[in-house]
Amino acid sequence: MRRFFIVLLLIGAMATPFPATFAQKRGGKANAATATATAAVHGVDQITAQQMRDYLYFIASDEMEGRDTPSRGLDTTAKFIAMNLSRWGFKPGGDDGTFFQHIALRRDKIDASQTRLELNGQTYKPGEDFIAVGNGGSASGQLVYAGNGWLIKSKNMDAYQGIDAKDKIVVVTTSMNGLPKGVVQTDLKGTRGVDWMDPGAYAEKQGAKAILLVPDFQILSGWERTRQNSMERGVASVAKAQTVSSSAPLRIILSPRLAATLFQGEKQNANALFDAYASGNTAAPFALKPDKQVSINVVAKNDPARTQNVVAIWEGSDPVLKNEYVAVGAHYDHIGISPTPDKNGDSINNGADDDGSGTTAILSMAEALAHTTPRPKRSILFVWHCGEEKGLWGSRYFTDNPTVPLDKVVAQLNIDMIGRSKKEGDTNPLNAELTGPNEIYVIGSTMMSTELGQLSNRVNQSYLNLGYNVKYDDPADPNRFFFRSDHFNYARKGIPIIFFFDGVHEDYHRPGDEPQKIDYDKMQKVTRTVYLTMWEVANLPTRPAVDKPLPEALRGN
């Protein structure tokens, strides 16, 4: 009876946003009771572990086939989300009165029967000796070795110093992880294309005809997947963003056997060059013997395809503030089916945590919001992004082609992996950075808006008081998590963001990321906290002020 009386009082005081009333003036049990009562008014108790378990077991089921972009499983998941949004009375925020924002794709597939590489008259087979990546074309000529291929002036790194690569074929030793050993994001200072360039851009500027990549261990471990993507499934890309320069060099990944043959008789062999790269002491550039000639012909087929973001709007109650939006997002795609099964015979990457957990969390938030009155003052924009695993496709497309005025989006809350917990006594090094059952990484909350960060902490401390770990706010974070999820594309448009993340673990991007391994109690706690944060932002009298620019190292890549 007493709790019901408190709830009635709070309903009459809804003009004061949670938790800025009693929660700031009283401590102890009074503070906790008030926070709990206010949370109940917002419907937070409708978000439950069992509810999220039910949704996630469908979203991360084998029938969804790993939700690759594009794929049948991803489309089925999109329809499942849209069906529920329609039932709950959400306003469609996609194209033509639907919940789907369609994205035109193109799928590039290498024609193996017409693709060849010759070295001094010897022909090598695509898929076995090399893999062509990207578009077709032809190239032939002499070869130069260009170290790691990078230009980074702040590190006095110039892969082409002392060599001429114009109209030649360049060989580089580099990694799929991106930056060379000993280089962090903060070293990429100044202007891209002037003060620093990645191997592809720098080779093009040097006038190279093709890039031959001596692979590292990570590339070799994914050889079969890369081969299938290149020659069988095809490599999809966003058609609208497809701006391949006519002068862009061909890209070829060499097998270890072909790399060894290429450097046979040179002053350094392929193993020595890779060892030097791995140690951070990349060998100096040099021209290969002039009698060593390579000829490449790559034929690619281009087919149209498409995918979609799922977009929904819950209109706010205030006649003025409803024209502004609090964006809440997650990516509903994953990496699909592996070319070879794991030790348990499983090849489907279900993506229960990545990012089935975020997909489910904002679906549960939408359901709670739809069954709660009164409505928040601002409108809530829910976006389930596709193609995050391909390079943040969906969020890039949405922020470049928004279905609501982007300058009216006051903040974006991104949920990407919140379902796993490190168990007590776990010594697996792959789980070393995984958070516990009452902890979550919070990234970017204060990078752009002091006010948004303070609000986020205040809501958490007044409610469940989870452990908010901000270690990944470091601009020099070698994991580069700030760039690796969809919030980044909102931040680059000047929208303050918060990214909730549990940390990588032993099943990250593996078939073992399954729904039975999820800590649903943790998911409930984190989701409820994000939900209340959303409410607090939605009811602020003025939008969170953006009072500082992103650190230089986080403005683009």
Side-chain angles (χ1 to χ4, degrees), residues 6-7 38-39 67 77 102 127 146 185 259 288 447 449 454 474 524:
I6 293 173
V7 170
T38 307
R67 307 190 308 280
T77 305
H102 294 293
Q185 188 66 35
L288 277 70
M447 285 183 181
S449 173
Q454 291 174 342
D474 182 358
Q524 173 183 296

Side-chain angles (χ1 to χ4, degrees), residues 100-384:
F100 306 126
Q101 182 189 34
H102 294 293
I103 303 173
L105 305 176
R106 55 176 284 175
R107 193 188 293 273
D108 299 326
K109 185 186 300 183
I110 301 301
D111 184 346
S113 66
Q114 300 185 61
T115 295
R116 60 176 175 78
L117 184 151
E118 292 183 1
L119 171 59
N120 287 349
Q122 176 68 41
T123 300
Y124 293 88
K125 297 179 180 179
E128 182 179 328
D129 298 308
F130 69 95
I131 299 174
V133 182
N135 293 316
S138 298
S140 62
Q142 292 182 309
L143 297 122
V144 293
Y145 175 70
N148 58 36
W150 281 83
L151 170 70
I152 305 175
K153 289 184 178 179
S154 68
K155 300 287 284 186
N156 296 316
M157 186 178 292
D158 185 349
Y160 291 87
Q161 189 170 13
I163 61 169
D164 179 12
K166 184 172 177 56
D167 295 328
K168 294 184 174 66
I169 294 174
V170 173
V171 189
V172 297
T173 310
T174 190
S175 171
M176 290 290 279
N177 288 326
L179 296 175
K181 188 177 181 65
V183 176
V184 296
Q185 188 66 35
T186 50
D187 293 324
L188 303 184
K189 298 175 181 177
T191 304
R192 183 176 188 173
V194 177
D195 300 297
W196 63 273
M197 280 182 273
D198 61 49
Y202 201 17
E204 181 175 357
K205 187 168 185 178
Q206 292 291 322
K209 292 182 177 180
I211 305 173
L212 307 185
L213 174 64
V214 178
D216 68 352
F217 298 113
Q218 183 184 8
I219 296 173
L220 291 176
S221 67
W223 181 275
E224 181 59 21
R225 172 183 287 276
T226 305
R227 185 197 68 78
Q228 287 191 1
N229 286 339
S230 172
M231 300 168 59
E232 296 176 12
R233 288 192 288 263
V235 178
S237 59
V238 178
K240 195 168 185 176
Q242 190 65 254
T243 55
V244 178
S245 167
S246 59
S247 62
L250 294 174
R251 291 173 292 157
I252 306 292
I253 302 173
L254 303 177
S255 70
R257 182 173 78 93
L258 181 51
T261 302
L262 191 68
F263 285 98
Q264 192 170 24
E266 301 293 340
K267 60 182 180 180
Q268 296 195 61
N269 62 37
N271 287 336
L273 292 171
F274 183 77
D275 288 344
Y277 169 79
S279 67
N281 300 307
T282 306
F286 62 91
L288 277 70
K289 292 181 177 180
D291 61 346
K292 199 169 284 185
Q293 297 282 325
V294 166
S295 175
I296 307 166
N297 184 59
V298 177
V299 176
K301 300 176 182 178
N302 309 121
D303 296 319
R306 76 173 189 171
T307 188
Q308 64 281 313
N309 291 322
V310 183
V311 188
I313 298 166
W314 191 252
E315 192 171 83
S317 61
D318 186 275
V320 176
L321 293 180
K322 72 178 182 180
N323 296 312
E324 295 182 343
Y325 302 85
V326 181
V328 184
H331 72 90
Y332 73 107
D333 68 306
H334 194 52
I335 63 172
I337 301 174
S338 294
T340 55
D342 65 8
K343 62 181 181 181
N344 298 314
D346 190 1
S347 59
I348 299 176
N349 298 283
N350 301 93
D353 191 29
D354 184 16
D355 185 29
S357 63
T359 298
T360 297
I362 67 170
L363 190 65
S364 299
M365 289 169 62
E367 183 175 15
L369 190 65
H371 294 91
T372 301
T373 54
R375 294 183 178 219
K377 294 181 178 180
R378 285 183 178 82
S379 297
I380 309 300
L381 173 70
F382 288 94
V383 185
W384 287 263

Side-chain angles (χ1 to χ4, degrees), residues 468-515:
Y468 271 13
N469 191 324
V470 297
K471 67 176 287 185
Y472 293 128
D473 274 356
D474 182 358
D477 167 31
N479 300 285
R480 306 176 75 244
F481 286 129
F482 186 81
F483 294 95
R484 289 170 56 181
S485 193
D486 293 309
H487 60 277
F488 172 71
N489 280 318
Y490 292 82
R492 72 183 177 90
K493 295 289 189 178
I495 298 169
I497 61 90
I498 307 177
F499 169 29
F500 298 87
F501 171 58
D502 59 23
V504 294
H505 49 74
E506 60 187 327
D507 293 316
Y508 176 68
H509 282 195
R510 291 179 173 89
D513 186 4
E514 297 183 324

